[in-house]
């Protein structure tokens, strides 16, 4: 039986990946800040460790036991960015990754699948963004740059490192749960002008792509974004259609910045990220448009 270590395993992405590994017959070791995890009671092959991975500790003993490490740890970015919270966003990613790599034996022959974000590119207007583009400006861009740099250190230990730059993950939780609330109250609409490109990916495609990179023992940098880019105002329209709600209540840029501070700049950034490396490697998306992704998510919810 092979073993995967998942940091940030209590998030909705982490839970989806843990389930996929369990279904494939793997031993799953999950780490997160929650005191317990629902899968720990439901599966004999799921071991839960509650720990703050931004600090070194006994949790690092799990690293050497792992065939694959999926590093998802990081504080939620969809909150107001106070100076203290920005430090928590940074440390939860950079320090966790540093401690993971430090705990690897000098001859670690496993694979590190490390999360990052399309925020790496910063605000790039209409520029098509493949994985060869340089990092941009702004806080989140710096976080992603330093996060990836810590992960790449693992190559010196013999690990094969794959960097996964996530778009906004569409599923039953996360950002979509927050965005859909306004639409359900008939108050949804585009953010700012709505002309900015909105990078997205369906949770199922994300999980499948993680397995694809693992099965191919891949290394390198990969944009985890849907293959058909969409502008934010078009996305808002599709979200409204999926919820049977109008998308006619725009949130002006000044309003967003007033109430969310620096975090508002993230909502207004334009990132036309393209999954060039995944497609070149042969990965095929099930949900190639935001419309198909949103339709599946909300039809599934209605059936429950």
């Amino acid at each position: 039986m092979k073993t995967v270590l998942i940091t940030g395993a209590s998030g909705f992405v982490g839970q989806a990946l843990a389930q996929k590994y369990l279904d494939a017959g793997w031993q799953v070791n999950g780490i997160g800040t929650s005191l317990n995890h629902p899968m720990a009671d439901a599966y004999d092959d799921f071991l839960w460790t509650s720990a703050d991975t931004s600090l070194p500790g006994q949790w690092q003993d799990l690293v050497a036991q792992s065939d694959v490490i999926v590093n998802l740890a990081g504080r939620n970015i969809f909150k107001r960015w106070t100076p203290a919270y920005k430090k928590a966003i940074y440390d939860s990613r950079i320090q966790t990754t540093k401690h993971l790599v430090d705990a690897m034996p000098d001859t670690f022959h496993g694979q590190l699948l490390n999360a990052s974000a399309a925020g790496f590119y910063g605000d790039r207007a209409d520029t098509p963004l493949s994985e060869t583009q340089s990092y941009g400006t702004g806080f989140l861009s710096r976080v992603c740059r330093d996060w990836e740099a810590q992960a790449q250190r693992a190559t010196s230990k013999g690990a094969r490192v794959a960097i996964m730059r996530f778009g906004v993950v569409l599923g039953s939780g996360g950002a979509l749960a927050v965005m859909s609330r306004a639409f359900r109250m008939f108050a949804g609409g585009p953010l700012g002008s709505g002309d900015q490109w909105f990078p997205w990916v369906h949770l199922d495609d994300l999980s499948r792509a993680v397995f694809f990179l693992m099965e191919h023992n891949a290394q390198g940098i990969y944009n985890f974004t849907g293959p058909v880019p969409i502008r934010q105002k078009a996305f808002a329209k599709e979200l409204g259609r999926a919820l049977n709600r109008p998308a006619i209540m725009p949130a002006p840029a000044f309003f967003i910045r007033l109430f969310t501070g620096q975090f508002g700049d993230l909502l207004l950034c334009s990132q036309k990220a393209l999954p060039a490396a995944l497609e070149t490697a042969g990965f095929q998306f099930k949900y190639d448009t935001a419309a198909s992704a949103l339709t599946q998510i909300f039809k599934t919810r209605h059936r429950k």
Side-chain angles (χ1 to χ4, degrees), residues 37-264:
H37 194 288
M39 288 183 175
D41 295 327
Y43 294 92
D44 292 336
D45 295 332
F46 185 93
L47 173 68
W48 177 249
T49 299
S50 179
D52 180 356
T53 54
S54 68
L55 301 172
Q58 290 186 337
W59 66 268
Q60 291 174 284
D61 295 342
L62 295 169
V63 172
Q65 305 170 25
S66 305
D67 298 294
V68 173
I69 298 171
V70 183
N71 182 22
L72 305 172
R75 290 288 189 91
N76 182 5
I77 64 170
F78 295 100
K79 291 187 177 181
R80 189 176 183 88
W81 290 356
T82 64
Y85 197 69
K86 285 173 70 174
K87 185 177 188 305
I89 289 172
Y90 186 91
D91 288 348
S92 61
R93 289 165 171 79
I94 282 69
Q95 292 302 316
T96 290
T97 309
K98 177 182 184 299
H99 298 320
L100 276 173
V101 176
D102 288 347
M104 289 178 181
D106 290 337
T107 55
F108 182 77
H109 297 302
Q111 186 182 32
L112 172 61
L113 297 159
N114 204 87
S116 184
F120 173 91
Y121 302 110
D123 189 357
R124 302 294 279 271
D126 291 334
T127 303
L129 301 171
S130 68
E131 293 83 356
T132 59
Q133 291 282 345
S134 62
Y135 64 87
T137 59
F139 170 68
L140 191 57
S141 179
R142 179 170 65 87
V143 170
C144 292
R145 179 198 65 190
D146 294 352
W147 196 6
E148 294 181 14
Q150 285 295 332
Q152 294 289 11
R153 291 175 50 236
T155 58
S156 68
K157 299 287 188 79
R160 294 179 69 81
V161 178
I163 303 294
M164 307 176 294
R165 292 176 181 162
F166 294 166
V168 176
V169 183
L170 304 182
S172 59
L176 187 59
V178 176
M179 289 186 286
S180 62
R181 288 178 199 148
F183 284 84
R184 293 185 190 280
M185 294 186 291
F186 294 88
L191 302 177
S193 70
D195 289 331
Q196 67 271 30
W197 292 97
F198 182 82
W200 63 276
V201 64
H202 191 291
L203 177 60
D204 184 53
D205 278 333
L206 182 152
S207 300
R208 292 174 53 248
V210 170
F211 251 63
F212 178 87
L213 294 182
M214 181 197 73
E215 289 169 341
H216 289 77
N217 201 22
Q219 60 184 347
I221 299 172
Y222 299 85
N223 286 341
F224 274 49
T225 54
V228 180
I230 190 169
R231 295 187 189 270
Q232 209 283 322
K233 60 185 174 185
F235 180 85
K237 184 176 180 180
E238 294 296 347
L239 178 55
R241 180 178 291 125
L243 290 168
N244 196 27
R245 295 290 191 275
I248 57 175
M249 297 288 288
F254 78 88
F255 183 87
I256 292 172
R257 291 190 174 100
L258 177 65
F259 285 93
T260 64
Q262 284 185 302
F263 167 61

